[in-house]
Amino acid sequence: MDRLFAACPDFYHMKDYGDERMAAIAAVIRSEVADCRSLGDVSVYEGYALGLVARDLGCTDLVGCDLSTVALERARSSLHGTFVPFDLNRLYDDPAVTLPIPRPDVLLVCECLYYVGPVANLAWSRPWINRSRKLAFIGALQRHARKAVLIQHFGARQKQAIGDLVTEAGGRQAEDRWGIWLLPAAS
Ligand SMILES: C[S@@+](CC[C@H](N)C(=O)[O-])C[C@H]1O[C@@H](n2cnc3c(N)ncnc32)[C@H](O)[C@@H]1O
């Protein structure tokens, strides 16, 4: 990924998609989470989505991680916050692992789950594949937030399959177009 991202800044063409996704994420947090003062992102990429959501909410306490050190360097140059490398597969393999960032009020898990786990996208598009392992992973994410975990994936199959798991884990759908689901943090 580092080599891809180094060769192609804005590899995912985030800016071409417009900012409606981030506006929808911010709207859900504003209406569903009281007093969100800190935001974290488990796949912060170049900081684009986190930056827009944070600006919309007026939130300045930011943390994030990502597999790619190239993407993290770009996040650091555009945002103030703590951004450190982490492979989500470590948490998938062992849900007792601790994320290397302080626990934020709201933890964002957006457009990244299809990279995680042995059959990655296939499993996150079908709820029955590796169901208990994925539920354990979601439970681990809930322990890394103070108030809520926001999960967002807009691919039709992923949206449904991830939504089924989130519901089973005690969460609920907050928005349909972008596939936004909200889970309470683990107490
Ligand atoms: C499609 S981008 C999404 C970025 C951002 N979350 C958003 O919604 O705009 C996927 C991101 O996941 C990261 N990623 C891929 N595999 C990962 C892994 N195993 N652990 C952590 N991050 C990973 C990539 O480096 C990339 O930054």
Side-chain angles (χ1 to χ4, degrees):
M1 287 208 134
D2 269 349
R3 273 196 278 169
L4 276 179
F5 294 165
C8 312
D10 193 16
F11 174 77
Y12 295 104
H13 288 228
M14 292 273 171
K15 290 170 191 159
D16 295 347
Y17 284 108
D19 298 342
E20 289 87 356
R21 177 171 69 99
M22 285 58 97
I25 292 169
V28 166
I29 295 172
R30 191 180 298 105
S31 70
E32 307 281 342
V33 182
D35 197 24
C36 172
R37 292 177 183 218
S38 54
L39 277 176
D41 189 335
V42 295
S43 62
V44 70
Y45 184 46
E46 298 177 356
Y48 188 63
L50 178 65
L52 284 177
V53 173
R55 193 177 69 191
D56 199 327
L57 294 171
C59 189
T60 53
D61 186 355
L62 306 181
V63 295
C65 37
D66 200 281
L67 183 63
S68 164
T69 55
V70 170
L72 286 168
E73 201 45 55
R74 291 180 184 149
R76 285 185 201 107
S77 68
S78 65
L79 296 174
H80 292 292
T82 304
F83 301 108
V84 292
F86 184 74
D87 182 349
L88 286 170
N89 284 296
R90 288 190 54 213
L91 192 65
Y92 185 91
D93 291 343
D94 178 3
V97 162
T98 303
L99 284 182
I101 47 173
R103 262 190 335 146
D105 285 339
V106 176
L107 187 64
L108 305 180
V109 182
C110 303
E111 301 297 336
C112 62
L113 291 178
Y114 37 76
Y115 287 113
V116 178
V119 281
N121 187 40
L122 188 65
W124 291 101
S125 306
R126 289 154 183 82
W128 59 90
I129 300 178
N130 294 343
R131 182 179 143 278
S132 57
R133 173 55 64 172
K134 289 184 294 187
L135 282 169
F137 175 76
I138 287 172
L141 293 171
Q142 287 176 279
R143 289 192 290 280
H144 287 288
R146 291 183 186 281
K147 296 185 176 177
V149 177
L150 183 147
I151 300 185
Q152 179 273 314
H153 293 76
F154 68 77
R157 285 202 85 138
Q158 296 149 2
K159 188 159 74 169
Q160 191 54 51
I162 292 169
D164 287 354
L165 280 170
V166 170
T167 305
E168 202 172 340
R172 64 187 174 74
Q173 188 168 29
E175 193 269 358
D176 184 54
R177 179 178 173 208
W178 296 103
I180 302 175
W181 296 76
L182 210 58
L183 275 157
S187 46

mmCIF file of all heavy atoms in Angstrom, residues 92 112-131 134 157-162 165:
data_model
loop_
_atom_site.group_PDB
_atom_site.id
_atom_site.type_symbol
_atom_site.label_atom_id
_atom_site.label_comp_id
_atom_site.label_asym_id
_atom_site.label_seq_id
_atom_site.Cartn_x
_atom_site.Cartn_y
_atom_site.Cartn_z
ATOM 1 N N TYR A 92 -7.847 -8.064 14.665
ATOM 2 C CA TYR A 92 -8.724 -9.151 14.190
ATOM 3 C C TYR A 92 -8.192 -10.501 14.682
ATOM 4 O O TYR A 92 -8.946 -11.353 15.142
ATOM 5 C CB TYR A 92 -8.787 -9.126 12.662
ATOM 6 C CG TYR A 92 -9.758 -10.119 12.081
ATOM 7 C CD1 TYR A 92 -11.087 -9.756 11.839
ATOM 8 C CD2 TYR A 92 -9.356 -11.418 11.760
ATOM 9 C CE1 TYR A 92 -11.985 -10.676 11.307
ATOM 10 C CE2 TYR A 92 -10.243 -12.326 11.224
ATOM 11 C CZ TYR A 92 -11.553 -11.957 10.996
ATOM 12 O OH TYR A 92 -12.436 -12.872 10.475
ATOM 13 N N CYS A 112 -13.017 0.423 5.365
ATOM 14 C CA CYS A 112 -11.741 -0.259 5.608
ATOM 15 C C CYS A 112 -11.905 -1.733 5.975
ATOM 16 O O CYS A 112 -10.955 -2.510 5.834
ATOM 17 C CB CYS A 112 -10.956 0.440 6.710
ATOM 18 S SG CYS A 112 -11.807 0.433 8.304
ATOM 19 N N LEU A 113 -13.100 -2.141 6.420
ATOM 20 C CA LEU A 113 -13.212 -3.513 6.924
ATOM 21 C C LEU A 113 -12.939 -4.539 5.832
ATOM 22 O O LEU A 113 -12.466 -5.645 6.123
ATOM 23 C CB LEU A 113 -14.603 -3.742 7.549
ATOM 24 C CG LEU A 113 -14.847 -2.979 8.848
ATOM 25 C CD1 LEU A 113 -16.253 -3.224 9.365
ATOM 26 C CD2 LEU A 113 -13.823 -3.393 9.910
ATOM 27 N N TYR A 114 -13.181 -4.178 4.572
ATOM 28 C CA TYR A 114 -12.967 -5.136 3.476
ATOM 29 C C TYR A 114 -11.484 -5.436 3.247
ATOM 30 O O TYR A 114 -11.134 -6.234 2.390
ATOM 31 C CB TYR A 114 -13.641 -4.691 2.172
ATOM 32 C CG TYR A 114 -13.628 -3.200 1.892
ATOM 33 C CD1 TYR A 114 -12.483 -2.554 1.455
ATOM 34 C CD2 TYR A 114 -14.790 -2.453 2.071
ATOM 35 C CE1 TYR A 114 -12.488 -1.200 1.188
ATOM 36 C CE2 TYR A 114 -14.796 -1.082 1.807
ATOM 37 C CZ TYR A 114 -13.648 -0.455 1.365
ATOM 38 O OH TYR A 114 -13.657 0.891 1.103
ATOM 39 N N TYR A 115 -10.598 -4.805 4.029
ATOM 40 C CA TYR A 115 -9.171 -5.151 3.988
ATOM 41 C C TYR A 115 -8.775 -6.076 5.143
ATOM 42 O O TYR A 115 -7.627 -6.509 5.208
ATOM 43 C CB TYR A 115 -8.313 -3.891 4.119
ATOM 44 C CG TYR A 115 -8.282 -3.001 2.897
ATOM 45 C CD1 TYR A 115 -8.850 -1.728 2.912
ATOM 46 C CD2 TYR A 115 -7.665 -3.421 1.722
ATOM 47 C CE1 TYR A 115 -8.813 -0.904 1.806
ATOM 48 C CE2 TYR A 115 -7.625 -2.600 0.606
ATOM 49 C CZ TYR A 115 -8.200 -1.346 0.657
ATOM 50 O OH TYR A 115 -8.147 -0.536 -0.450
ATOM 51 N N VAL A 116 -9.717 -6.349 6.052
ATOM 52 C CA VAL A 116 -9.341 -6.993 7.313
ATOM 53 C C VAL A 116 -9.795 -8.450 7.363
ATOM 54 O O VAL A 116 -10.939 -8.767 7.029
ATOM 55 C CB VAL A 116 -9.973 -6.211 8.499
ATOM 56 C CG1 VAL A 116 -9.654 -6.883 9.820
ATOM 57 C CG2 VAL A 116 -9.476 -4.764 8.501
ATOM 58 N N GLY A 117 -8.878 -9.313 7.821
ATOM 59 C CA GLY A 117 -9.208 -10.730 7.989
ATOM 60 C C GLY A 117 -8.731 -11.562 6.825
ATOM 61 O O GLY A 117 -8.346 -11.026 5.788
ATOM 62 N N PRO A 118 -8.743 -12.885 6.998
ATOM 63 C CA PRO A 118 -8.147 -13.768 5.997
ATOM 64 C C PRO A 118 -8.821 -13.719 4.632
ATOM 65 O O PRO A 118 -8.137 -13.775 3.623
ATOM 66 C CB PRO A 118 -8.270 -15.169 6.618
ATOM 67 C CG PRO A 118 -9.136 -15.026 7.810
ATOM 68 C CD PRO A 118 -9.194 -13.581 8.200
ATOM 69 N N VAL A 119 -10.143 -13.611 4.566
ATOM 70 C CA VAL A 119 -10.767 -13.510 3.241
ATOM 71 C C VAL A 119 -11.410 -12.142 3.049
ATOM 72 O O VAL A 119 -12.254 -11.950 2.175
ATOM 73 C CB VAL A 119 -11.771 -14.657 2.957
ATOM 74 C CG1 VAL A 119 -11.045 -15.919 2.564
ATOM 75 C CG2 VAL A 119 -12.702 -14.905 4.125
ATOM 76 N N ALA A 120 -11.001 -11.220 3.893
ATOM 77 C CA ALA A 120 -11.273 -9.796 3.758
ATOM 78 C C ALA A 120 -12.646 -9.472 3.167
ATOM 79 O O ALA A 120 -13.671 -9.743 3.786
ATOM 80 C CB ALA A 120 -10.141 -9.166 2.978
ATOM 81 N N ASN A 121 -12.677 -8.908 1.977
ATOM 82 C CA ASN A 121 -13.931 -8.396 1.428
ATOM 83 C C ASN A 121 -15.011 -9.476 1.337
ATOM 84 O O ASN A 121 -16.185 -9.224 1.596
ATOM 85 C CB ASN A 121 -13.685 -7.793 0.047
ATOM 86 C CG ASN A 121 -14.930 -7.092 -0.479
ATOM 87 O OD1 ASN A 121 -15.633 -6.422 0.280
ATOM 88 N ND2 ASN A 121 -15.231 -7.260 -1.741
ATOM 89 N N LEU A 122 -14.606 -10.680 0.977
ATOM 90 C CA LEU A 122 -15.590 -11.770 0.855
ATOM 91 C C LEU A 122 -16.328 -11.958 2.182
ATOM 92 O O LEU A 122 -17.554 -12.082 2.225
ATOM 93 C CB LEU A 122 -14.862 -13.053 0.466
ATOM 94 C CG LEU A 122 -15.726 -14.251 0.110
ATOM 95 C CD1 LEU A 122 -16.527 -13.976 -1.161
ATOM 96 C CD2 LEU A 122 -14.861 -15.485 -0.084
ATOM 97 N N ALA A 123 -15.574 -11.951 3.284
ATOM 98 C CA ALA A 123 -16.185 -12.186 4.599
ATOM 99 C C ALA A 123 -17.051 -11.016 5.048
ATOM 100 O O ALA A 123 -18.120 -11.222 5.622
ATOM 101 C CB ALA A 123 -15.097 -12.455 5.635
ATOM 102 N N TRP A 124 -16.620 -9.796 4.776
ATOM 103 C CA TRP A 124 -17.405 -8.637 5.230
ATOM 104 C C TRP A 124 -18.615 -8.397 4.336
ATOM 105 O O TRP A 124 -19.477 -7.571 4.651
ATOM 106 C CB TRP A 124 -16.518 -7.397 5.314
ATOM 107 C CG TRP A 124 -15.518 -7.507 6.430
ATOM 108 C CD1 TRP A 124 -14.200 -7.830 6.304
ATOM 109 C CD2 TRP A 124 -15.753 -7.344 7.839
ATOM 110 N NE1 TRP A 124 -13.600 -7.873 7.543
ATOM 111 C CE2 TRP A 124 -14.532 -7.573 8.498
ATOM 112 C CE3 TRP A 124 -16.875 -7.020 8.606
ATOM 113 C CZ2 TRP A 124 -14.395 -7.486 9.898
ATOM 114 C CZ3 TRP A 124 -16.747 -6.936 9.982
ATOM 115 C CH2 TRP A 124 -15.524 -7.167 10.615
ATOM 116 N N SER A 125 -18.706 -9.108 3.212
ATOM 117 C CA SER A 125 -19.880 -9.001 2.351
ATOM 118 C C SER A 125 -20.886 -10.112 2.620
ATOM 119 O O SER A 125 -21.958 -10.138 2.015
ATOM 120 C CB SER A 125 -19.469 -9.087 0.872
ATOM 121 O OG SER A 125 -18.485 -8.144 0.583
ATOM 122 N N ARG A 126 -20.523 -11.043 3.484
ATOM 123 C CA ARG A 126 -21.403 -12.162 3.799
ATOM 124 C C ARG A 126 -21.347 -12.411 5.301
ATOM 125 O O ARG A 126 -20.316 -12.838 5.818
ATOM 126 C CB ARG A 126 -20.954 -13.422 3.034
ATOM 127 C CG ARG A 126 -21.239 -13.327 1.555
ATOM 128 C CD ARG A 126 -20.304 -14.176 0.723
ATOM 129 N NE ARG A 126 -20.564 -13.988 -0.696
ATOM 130 C CZ ARG A 126 -20.087 -12.960 -1.422
ATOM 131 N NH1 ARG A 126 -19.314 -12.047 -0.860
ATOM 132 N NH2 ARG A 126 -20.382 -12.861 -2.704
ATOM 133 N N PRO A 127 -22.471 -12.167 6.001
ATOM 134 C CA PRO A 127 -22.418 -12.181 7.465
ATOM 135 C C PRO A 127 -22.017 -13.527 8.053
ATOM 136 O O PRO A 127 -21.439 -13.578 9.141
ATOM 137 C CB PRO A 127 -23.845 -11.795 7.885
ATOM 138 C CG PRO A 127 -24.679 -11.790 6.663
ATOM 139 C CD PRO A 127 -23.784 -11.760 5.470
ATOM 140 N N TRP A 128 -22.291 -14.614 7.362
ATOM 141 C CA TRP A 128 -22.054 -15.934 7.950
ATOM 142 C C TRP A 128 -20.587 -16.378 7.880
ATOM 143 O O TRP A 128 -20.194 -17.314 8.573
ATOM 144 C CB TRP A 128 -22.948 -16.990 7.274
ATOM 145 C CG TRP A 128 -22.720 -17.113 5.796
ATOM 146 C CD1 TRP A 128 -21.835 -17.934 5.169
ATOM 147 C CD2 TRP A 128 -23.384 -16.382 4.761
ATOM 148 N NE1 TRP A 128 -21.888 -17.756 3.806
ATOM 149 C CE2 TRP A 128 -22.840 -16.814 3.526
ATOM 150 C CE3 TRP A 128 -24.380 -15.397 4.743
ATOM 151 C CZ2 TRP A 128 -23.270 -16.297 2.303
ATOM 152 C CZ3 TRP A 128 -24.800 -14.902 3.516
ATOM 153 C CH2 TRP A 128 -24.248 -15.337 2.320
ATOM 154 N N ILE A 129 -19.752 -15.713 7.080
ATOM 155 C CA ILE A 129 -18.338 -16.125 6.998
ATOM 156 C C ILE A 129 -17.565 -15.530 8.183
ATOM 157 O O ILE A 129 -17.566 -14.322 8.391
ATOM 158 C CB ILE A 129 -17.693 -15.662 5.670
ATOM 159 C CG1 ILE A 129 -18.429 -16.272 4.477
ATOM 160 C CG2 ILE A 129 -16.221 -16.041 5.625
ATOM 161 C CD1 ILE A 129 -17.885 -15.835 3.123
ATOM 162 N N ASN A 130 -16.924 -16.374 8.963
ATOM 163 C CA ASN A 130 -16.121 -15.931 10.130
ATOM 164 C C ASN A 130 -16.921 -15.045 11.093
ATOM 165 O O ASN A 130 -16.389 -14.082 11.665
ATOM 166 C CB ASN A 130 -14.859 -15.166 9.684
ATOM 167 C CG ASN A 130 -13.890 -16.064 8.939
ATOM 168 O OD1 ASN A 130 -13.984 -17.290 9.018
ATOM 169 N ND2 ASN A 130 -12.985 -15.467 8.200
ATOM 170 N N ARG A 131 -18.219 -15.374 11.252
ATOM 171 C CA ARG A 131 -19.124 -14.508 12.018
ATOM 172 C C ARG A 131 -18.617 -14.228 13.441
ATOM 173 O O ARG A 131 -18.564 -13.084 13.885
ATOM 174 C CB ARG A 131 -20.508 -15.163 12.049
ATOM 175 C CG ARG A 131 -21.550 -14.368 12.746
ATOM 176 C CD ARG A 131 -22.889 -15.079 12.714
ATOM 177 N NE ARG A 131 -23.588 -14.865 13.959
ATOM 178 C CZ ARG A 131 -23.373 -15.552 15.067
ATOM 179 N NH1 ARG A 131 -22.499 -16.536 15.088
ATOM 180 N NH2 ARG A 131 -24.035 -15.270 16.157
ATOM 181 N N LYS A 134 -15.539 -11.972 13.515
ATOM 182 C CA LYS A 134 -15.864 -10.578 13.189
ATOM 183 C C LYS A 134 -16.581 -9.907 14.367
ATOM 184 O O LYS A 134 -16.330 -8.738 14.670
ATOM 185 C CB LYS A 134 -16.727 -10.503 11.918
ATOM 186 C CG LYS A 134 -15.954 -10.849 10.649
ATOM 187 C CD LYS A 134 -16.802 -10.683 9.403
ATOM 188 C CE LYS A 134 -17.938 -11.665 9.367
ATOM 189 N NZ LYS A 134 -18.697 -11.668 8.117
ATOM 190 N N ARG A 157 -23.518 -4.867 -0.702
ATOM 191 C CA ARG A 157 -23.396 -6.143 0.024
ATOM 192 C C ARG A 157 -22.745 -5.947 1.379
ATOM 193 O O ARG A 157 -23.149 -6.538 2.373
ATOM 194 C CB ARG A 157 -22.570 -7.154 -0.784
ATOM 195 C CG ARG A 157 -23.319 -7.742 -1.948
ATOM 196 C CD ARG A 157 -22.697 -9.060 -2.362
ATOM 197 N NE ARG A 157 -23.218 -10.148 -1.551
ATOM 198 C CZ ARG A 157 -23.559 -11.338 -2.024
ATOM 199 N NH1 ARG A 157 -23.435 -11.578 -3.300
ATOM 200 N NH2 ARG A 157 -24.004 -12.282 -1.224
ATOM 201 N N GLN A 158 -21.714 -5.092 1.415
ATOM 202 C CA GLN A 158 -21.021 -4.842 2.693
ATOM 203 C C GLN A 158 -21.966 -4.162 3.668
ATOM 204 O O GLN A 158 -22.017 -4.504 4.844
ATOM 205 C CB GLN A 158 -19.815 -3.944 2.476
ATOM 206 C CG GLN A 158 -18.747 -4.543 1.623
ATOM 207 C CD GLN A 158 -17.999 -3.482 0.849
ATOM 208 O OE1 GLN A 158 -18.259 -2.292 0.980
ATOM 209 N NE2 GLN A 158 -17.072 -3.918 0.018
ATOM 210 N N LYS A 159 -22.728 -3.185 3.148
ATOM 211 C CA LYS A 159 -23.639 -2.424 4.002
ATOM 212 C C LYS A 159 -24.593 -3.376 4.723
ATOM 213 O O LYS A 159 -24.783 -3.285 5.931
ATOM 214 C CB LYS A 159 -24.408 -1.452 3.095
ATOM 215 C CG LYS A 159 -25.245 -0.464 3.795
ATOM 216 C CD LYS A 159 -25.552 0.748 2.919
ATOM 217 C CE LYS A 159 -26.556 0.505 1.830
ATOM 218 N NZ LYS A 159 -26.987 1.776 1.202
ATOM 219 N N GLN A 160 -25.149 -4.313 3.967
ATOM 220 C CA GLN A 160 -26.112 -5.239 4.565
ATOM 221 C C GLN A 160 -25.440 -6.218 5.517
ATOM 222 O O GLN A 160 -25.890 -6.446 6.636
ATOM 223 C CB GLN A 160 -26.840 -6.006 3.445
ATOM 224 C CG GLN A 160 -28.040 -6.784 3.943
ATOM 225 C CD GLN A 160 -29.020 -5.892 4.719
ATOM 226 O OE1 GLN A 160 -29.422 -4.841 4.231
ATOM 227 N NE2 GLN A 160 -29.353 -6.277 5.947
ATOM 228 N N ALA A 161 -24.331 -6.786 5.063
ATOM 229 C CA ALA A 161 -23.672 -7.818 5.874
ATOM 230 C C ALA A 161 -23.068 -7.218 7.148
ATOM 231 O O ALA A 161 -23.187 -7.793 8.242
ATOM 232 C CB ALA A 161 -22.578 -8.503 5.048
ATOM 233 N N ILE A 162 -22.444 -6.072 7.027
ATOM 234 C CA ILE A 162 -21.852 -5.416 8.207
ATOM 235 C C ILE A 162 -22.982 -4.954 9.121
ATOM 236 O O ILE A 162 -22.910 -5.095 10.350
ATOM 237 C CB ILE A 162 -20.935 -4.247 7.780
ATOM 238 C CG1 ILE A 162 -19.703 -4.803 7.052
ATOM 239 C CG2 ILE A 162 -20.512 -3.405 8.982
ATOM 240 C CD1 ILE A 162 -18.854 -3.770 6.344
ATOM 241 N N LEU A 165 -24.216 -7.723 11.333
ATOM 242 C CA LEU A 165 -23.291 -7.990 12.448
ATOM 243 C C LEU A 165 -23.400 -6.910 13.522
ATOM 244 O O LEU A 165 -23.412 -7.212 14.717
ATOM 245 C CB LEU A 165 -21.842 -7.990 11.943
ATOM 246 C CG LEU A 165 -21.344 -9.235 11.251
ATOM 247 C CD1 LEU A 165 -19.995 -8.940 10.629
ATOM 248 C CD2 LEU A 165 -21.244 -10.395 12.225
#
